[in-house]
């Protein structure tokens, strides 16, 4: 098969060609993480005309450190695993459009997808795999020093801090993974955590405690970030004693979790959980017939088990359900 083409679209661009916007797709996949990539592969294998619309390829996996629990890879960096995903999707000639979806509306039996660049796409089914957005600290100085010491992606920026002193804010798996990766470059790595114990799995905790470069600052939150042209220090406060103190730093990596794009889901009219995740059944069907969802944006138990392999499996199942929906509604001869 021929390789797929990837169309990069920005706000300054003139948009995509009518070749892509002027047809009806069997499935439009919104989101390019492991769930979306997996859905694209399965949809293509079912013979469904498919495109992916995503703000970025790989989602949170592209920002992950070492991945050591994905089947087939003993140890691989998140961005490298994303490259493998993309190569697999390209093999099936599924176009990947870099754009942001603003809304999805029903148009008779079809769906219209509207993007921030003013483009409009039409599909018989929609598969939402938009994942989550990383949370920010929302403290003074965070935006000022974003890209000048503050980072939300350890694999992207860790090499910039060779021999430097850095800190990771958070206590889960992503924070632990980021801290371990940073020890390969930085001279000292602090973990700042608001509680007195980490949420990270025991495997990570054992590695953290054994690493001489890592020091954990317990029961502490970040109140402010200060510096000149670059980040120079963090103002911290103890949760228990309310003591305020300074921590000299060259870099701060924020790993405090993520949240779904609730506003988009509400515009579409999907039924959501109380905290904004898409409610789906065991077939990844949402409250709107013809719209499916998979990955970190869905409300499935256990929600605290965010794993690449789970997202990929859900994406495959969403494509399977979308295919069955189309066959029942349109039959095989739908072109």
């Amino acid at each position: 098969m021929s390789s797929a083409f990837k169309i990069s679209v920005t706000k300054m661009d003139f948009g995509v060609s009518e070749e892509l916007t002027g047809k009806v797709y069997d499935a439009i996949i919104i989101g390019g993480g492991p769930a979306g990539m997996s859905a694209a592969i399965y949809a293509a294998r079912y013979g469904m005309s498919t495109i992916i619309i995503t703000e970025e390829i790989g989602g949170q996996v592209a920002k992950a450190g070492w991945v050591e629990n994905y089947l087939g890879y003993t140890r691989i960096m998140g961005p490298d695993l994303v490259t493998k995903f993309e190569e697999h999707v390209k093999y099936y000639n599924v176009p990947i459009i870099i754009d942001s979806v603003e809304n999805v509306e029903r148009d008779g039996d079809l769906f219209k997808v509207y993007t921030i660049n003013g483009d409009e796409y039409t599909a018989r089914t929609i598969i939402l795999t938009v994942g989550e957005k990383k949370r920010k600290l929302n403290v003074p100085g965070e935006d000022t020093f974003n890209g000048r010491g503050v980072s939300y992606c350890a694999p992207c920026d860790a090499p910039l801090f060779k021999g430097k002193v850095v800190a990771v804010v958070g206590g889960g798996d992503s924070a632990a993974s980021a801290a371990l990766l940073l020890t390969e470059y930085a001279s000292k790595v602090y973990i700042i955590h608001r509680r007195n114990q980490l949420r990270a799995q025991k495997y990570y905790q054992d590695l953290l405690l054994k690493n001489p470069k890592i020091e954990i600052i317990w029961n502490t939150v970040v109140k402010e970030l200060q510096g000149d042209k670059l980040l120079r220090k963090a103002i911290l406060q103890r949760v228990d004693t309310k003591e305020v103190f300074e921590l000299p730093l060259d870099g701060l990596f924020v790993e405090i979790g993520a949240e779904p794009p609730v506003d988009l889901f509400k515009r579409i009219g999907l039924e959501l959980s109380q905290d904004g995740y898409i409610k789906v059944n065991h077939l990844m069907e949402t409250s709107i017939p013809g719209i499916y969802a998979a990955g970190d944006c869905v409300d499935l138990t256990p929600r605290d088990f965010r794993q690449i392999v789970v997202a990929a499996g859900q994406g495959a199942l969403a494509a399977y359900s979308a295919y069955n929906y189309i066959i029942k509604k349109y039959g095989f001869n739908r072109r």
Side-chain angles (χ1 to χ4, degrees):
M1 288 188 177
S2 60
S3 296
F5 52 97
K6 180 173 68 178
I7 299 172
S8 181
V9 182
T10 67
K11 290 182 181 180
M12 301 295 292
D13 218 318
F14 56 83
V16 299
S17 69
E18 291 185 3
E19 179 186 353
L20 291 180
T21 57
K23 63 181 292 186
V24 177
Y25 294 95
D26 288 327
I28 291 179
I29 299 167
I30 302 172
M37 294 289 198
S38 178
I41 291 168
Y42 276 79
R45 288 176 62 85
Y46 286 132
M48 299 166 66
S49 56
T50 306
I51 58 170
I52 297 174
I53 303 174
T54 184
E55 295 180 6
E56 59 180 349
I57 296 175
Q60 295 300 319
V61 183
K63 302 176 180 66
W66 288 110
V67 176
E68 298 176 314
N69 56 359
Y70 190 75
L71 189 64
Y73 294 96
T74 304
R75 196 171 195 244
I76 185 171
M77 285 291 291
D80 294 331
L81 185 57
V82 169
T83 298
K84 296 294 184 181
F85 290 164
E86 186 179 4
E87 289 173 352
H88 201 165
V89 170
K90 283 183 175 181
Y91 177 80
Y92 287 103
N93 203 34
V94 177
I96 302 174
I97 299 169
I98 306 301
D99 202 345
S100 178
V101 171
E102 288 195 314
N103 201 8
V104 176
E105 295 180 353
R106 184 176 286 282
D107 182 21
D109 288 338
L110 304 174
F111 295 96
K112 294 289 187 181
V113 176
Y114 303 95
T115 74
I116 198 170
N117 286 296
D119 290 314
E120 178 183 313
Y121 302 85
T122 306
R124 297 180 176 90
T125 65
I126 302 294
I127 302 177
L128 286 163
T129 60
V130 293
E132 301 169 302
K133 299 287 186 182
K134 283 199 171 184
R135 290 194 180 99
K136 300 178 70 175
L137 294 170
N138 292 318
V139 299
E142 182 177 13
D143 291 337
T144 302
F145 297 107
N146 187 2
R148 295 192 291 166
V150 174
S151 174
Y152 304 87
C153 179
C156 308
D157 298 332
L160 302 176
F161 294 89
K162 189 171 184 179
K164 304 290 186 179
V165 176
V166 301
V168 177
V169 184
D173 286 351
S174 59
S177 176
L180 290 167
L181 174 63
L182 285 163
T183 61
E184 299 181 18
Y185 301 93
S187 60
K188 177 75 174 181
V189 179
Y190 293 98
I191 295 178
I192 303 169
H193 188 44
R194 66 183 304 121
R195 297 181 176 85
N196 60 3
Q197 61 182 18
L198 299 175
R199 293 179 290 106
Q201 57 185 289
K202 186 178 184 300
Y203 170 78
Y204 279 134
Q205 293 194 39
D206 291 343
L207 291 177
L208 294 176
L209 295 174
K210 290 177 184 177
N211 197 305
K213 285 188 176 182
I214 294 176
E215 179 180 340
I216 303 176
I217 304 176
W218 302 104
N219 300 305
T220 300
V221 295
V222 178
K223 300 298 289 184
E224 186 178 352
L225 300 174
Q226 296 180 358
D228 38 53
K229 291 183 179 180
L230 300 173
L231 175 68
R232 299 301 181 190
K233 61 184 175 181
I235 308 300
L236 306 181
Q237 184 177 39
R238 295 272 305 181
V239 174
D240 45 5
T241 65
K242 305 304 179 184
E243 173 195 359
V244 176
F245 59 100
E246 297 181 356
L247 180 67
L249 288 174
D250 299 299
L252 184 83
F253 290 79
V254 181
E255 294 287 354
I256 56 173
E259 56 194 0
V262 180
D263 290 341
L264 172 62
F265 300 161
K266 288 182 177 179
R267 286 195 295 272
I268 297 172
L270 296 163
E271 184 180 357
L272 307 177
S273 65
Q274 287 188 340
D275 50 354
Y277 291 81
I278 302 172
K279 287 190 174 183
V280 295
N281 63 14
H282 65 289
L283 293 175
M284 315 314 296
E285 296 170 330
T286 71
S287 58
I288 300 176
I291 298 184
Y292 305 86
D296 290 356
C297 65
V298 304
D299 181 41
L300 277 182
T301 304
R303 270 251 307 277
D304 59 350
F305 191 62
R306 297 303 199 201
Q307 298 292 307
I308 301 170
V309 68
V310 173
Q314 291 178 353
L317 183 53
Y320 168 80
S321 294
Y323 171 73
N324 283 321
Y325 171 88
I326 287 174
I327 293 305
K328 291 177 182 177
K329 191 173 184 64
Y330 300 99
F332 287 95
N333 187 22
R334 59 189 180 278
R335 299 295 187 266

